[in-house]
Amino acid sequence: MEYQKKEIRIFQNGRTVNDQFYIDGDYNVPEAKRDVGKIILSNGMLRVEEMKQVESYLKVSGKLEFKVLYMADEMVPVPASLEGRIPFEEMIYLEQEPEGNLVLQTSDTEVTVTMIHSRKLNIKTLAEISIGTEKCTGEEITTDVEEKVPVFKKMKEEEILKVFATGKDTYRIKEEVTLSGTKEHIGTLLWTDVTGGKADTQLGTDELLISGELNMFCLYETAEGKTDWISRTVPYEGQIECMGVMPGMYHQSELHLTDINVEPRMDENGEMRILGIEATLQVRLIVYEEEKIQILEDLYMLDHICIPEVKEKSFFRLKLQNHSKCRISEELTLPELKEDILQICHCKGKIQMETVKAETDGVHIDGVLHLQFLYVREDDQTPFGVWNGMVPFSYLLENGGGEPDMEDMDCTVEQLSVNLMGSGEVEVKAVLAFNCFQKEPVQIQNIESAEFRPMDTEELESRPGIVGYFVQQGDTLWNLAKKYNTTVENIKEVNYMEKEGINKGDKILIFKQNLGIL
């Protein structure tokens, strides 16, 4: 007996381990940098350089890269900045042996900078690393069976989501921003902040189309020694080769912006009025396609006993792919800034989801938008200040009901603005984007193989040739045909049935197959 099988590739995420640890170190201000008078702003990012499994632990090492904006300790204080790195090494306990590929995720981290003296700083942060696993495996489904003697088969159609391709790639972003006519030439860059905003990916023919926006802020010192800044939304678009994919397939993509560099460039007149932005967009991609597959659900023979070997296998079907947006509009009263703030230069935000609960009408998400903005003060000694706070939000993600796989949901801050209203009040407007790729499990009782044993001739002949039968709850023509050693077509023909549907209480005649000619 020959079994026809089809391999289905499935993608699975494993358990995620979250690890938090402190990085604490002192940093000497380089000789080329000005003395530190007062810290204004700081941020940091973890750069992992090596991962190595040591027994039940994962050894992660790398560097904390940080930036500090400060007022120089001089007779006439001026803004200045510095960058540095502090090495770290962390042992993360793994409760069980990882199955599949390890996936590490980090994010920008808040850095606390404390002055020891004007030439020495203490750098401290609570870093967080997430370690997960992912694997792509192939499972076989029996779709048919071939045999020289007649075998009666029951087929079932299932729509299954299967993996077409997985991979990682990078896309290089190279853009330029030109200063407007009212801005003075760039002398020295003091602070740059480039973050990802709106982003979209679509499948084309043999390619992944990428489009999005960068939110860029740059604080600089002009050639005349003045301080100015520029804030722009920079669009970008491009494509990555992905052979075999086509529109109509489904995909999940994770985009991570790294290796960001901003540098001043000369324009055609030889003046420093252009900012060149270069960054690497790391792309993790999974492409799926849906396929309707005929599966062998049951089988039997009239003169043999069939003993199938059945194994339960898990697959998925797509329930929902949802791209939705939550809009936030909030007015904040900040009395501590009432007499101090003149103008808001720059703002940035980060989403923290606190509770996610599935209800019949969708997924209820409660969280906070961590908000930070840089503003101009009236104090000439410290002309810049920073405000940090939170804005709570609630959002209903409509998904048709059911609990989503949270590893298949991501959220980003697409747009953010903070406007000064006066009297210590600011208006916060934000657009939060939630992308949900929700799968639901499909359990299949797969017939791996079957053993056929000849029936006892005497037992077969002793069975009644004709049976009058009252249909019971749950009966099907297939089950009755298999039980009474006949076929579905035979029962339909004897009882003048056009369809296979039967109802409880129906009375039907069942002829043993060799008496069907009667």
Side-chain angles (χ1 to χ4, degrees), residues 64-237:
L64 167 67
E65 299 180 345
F66 63 89
K67 298 192 301 182
V68 181
L69 178 66
Y70 63 94
M71 295 302 297
D73 185 14
E74 298 178 356
M75 291 293 294
V76 180
V78 293
S81 63
L82 58 83
E83 299 179 0
R85 297 176 179 85
I86 295 178
F88 72 88
E89 183 177 291
E90 176 70 356
M91 300 293 287
I92 302 175
Y93 177 66
L94 305 174
E95 295 184 359
Q96 57 189 20
E97 185 69 20
E99 294 184 5
N101 300 321
L102 288 172
V103 179
L104 182 145
Q105 290 185 334
T106 64
S107 60
D108 292 349
T109 181
E110 294 183 6
V111 176
T112 301
V113 182
T114 306
M115 279 183 55
I116 297 174
H117 53 71
S118 62
R119 304 300 301 174
K120 192 171 187 177
L121 306 176
N122 175 256
I123 312 296
K124 185 181 298 182
T125 186
L126 177 61
E128 183 172 350
I129 292 177
S130 296
I131 302 290
T133 59
E134 62 180 25
K135 62 179 180 179
C136 189
T137 58
E139 286 283 359
E140 287 189 334
I141 296 179
T142 304
T143 59
D144 205 348
V145 62
E146 293 183 356
E147 179 63 25
K148 295 179 181 180
V149 296
V151 178
F152 297 95
K153 298 170 288 188
K154 182 182 181 183
M155 310 301 290
K156 179 182 180 181
E157 186 178 78
E158 284 283 5
E159 192 169 50
I160 293 178
L161 191 69
K162 64 179 186 179
V163 174
F164 176 80
T166 64
K168 298 179 182 179
D169 209 333
T170 57
Y171 173 71
R172 293 288 299 173
I173 299 174
K174 295 183 178 181
E175 302 291 344
E176 289 187 339
V177 173
T178 303
L179 299 185
S180 63
T182 58
K183 297 288 183 180
E184 295 188 24
H185 308 340
I186 300 171
T188 304
L189 297 185
L190 298 173
W191 185 266
T192 60
D193 186 25
V194 178
T195 58
K198 184 186 301 183
D200 181 56
T201 57
Q202 295 182 11
L203 293 178
T205 302
D206 296 329
E207 62 183 1
L208 177 71
L209 305 174
I210 301 172
S211 62
E213 294 176 345
L214 300 177
N215 298 318
M216 187 216 71
F217 171 76
C218 178
L219 183 71
Y220 64 94
E221 186 180 73
T222 67
E224 289 74 26
K226 299 178 182 178
T227 303
D228 205 347
W229 64 87
I230 177 175
S231 182
R232 292 280 182 85
T233 298
V234 184
Y236 64 89
E237 62 180 7

Side-chain angles (χ1 to χ4, degrees), residues 290-351:
E290 281 186 317
E291 183 177 354
K292 292 183 179 179
I293 301 175
Q294 293 290 333
I295 300 169
L296 180 63
E297 187 176 19
D298 198 5
L299 74 167
Y300 70 93
M301 296 174 68
L302 295 177
D303 55 354
H304 284 70
I305 298 173
C306 175
I307 306 174
E309 179 190 347
V310 179
K311 181 180 179 181
E312 184 176 69
K313 295 189 175 182
S314 298
F315 299 93
F316 298 95
R317 69 168 61 94
L318 180 64
K319 182 177 181 181
L320 182 72
Q321 186 169 18
N322 185 306
H323 301 279
S324 57
K325 302 181 190 298
C326 169
R327 301 185 183 277
I328 296 176
S329 181
E330 192 81 21
E331 293 183 4
L332 304 179
T333 301
L334 311 176
E336 68 275 20
L337 302 182
K338 183 177 181 180
E339 305 298 333
D340 192 42
I341 186 170
L342 293 178
Q343 185 178 357
I344 294 175
C345 310
H346 173 56
C347 61
K348 63 188 302 184
K350 182 179 178 180
I351 299 173

Side-chain angles (χ1 to χ4, degrees), residues 339-400:
E339 305 298 333
D340 192 42
I341 186 170
L342 293 178
Q343 185 178 357
I344 294 175
C345 310
H346 173 56
C347 61
K348 63 188 302 184
K350 182 179 178 180
I351 299 173
Q352 177 184 338
M353 292 192 293
E354 296 188 326
T355 61
V356 180
K357 189 176 181 181
E359 302 286 357
T360 56
D361 56 345
V363 182
H364 292 257
I365 302 172
D366 291 309
V368 293
L369 173 64
H370 292 272
L371 182 65
Q372 179 188 81
F373 63 79
L374 176 72
Y375 62 93
V376 180
R377 306 176 64 225
E378 288 187 344
D379 187 354
D380 292 336
Q381 297 297 311
T382 310
F384 295 98
V386 175
W387 183 87
N388 292 282
M390 296 182 294
V391 177
F393 69 88
S394 296
Y395 182 61
L396 173 63
L397 176 64
E398 297 180 357
N399 73 333

Side-chain angles (χ1 to χ4, degrees), residues 166-172 206-208 210 239-243 253-258 280-286:
T166 64
K168 298 179 182 179
D169 209 333
T170 57
Y171 173 71
R172 293 288 299 173
D206 296 329
E207 62 183 1
L208 177 71
I210 301 172
Q239 60 277 332
I240 293 176
E241 184 179 73
C242 190
M243 297 304 296
S253 60
E254 290 184 15
L255 308 179
H256 181 60
L257 201 63
T258 184
T280 300
L281 194 64
Q282 296 180 346
V283 182
R284 294 178 65 238
L285 178 67
I286 311 169

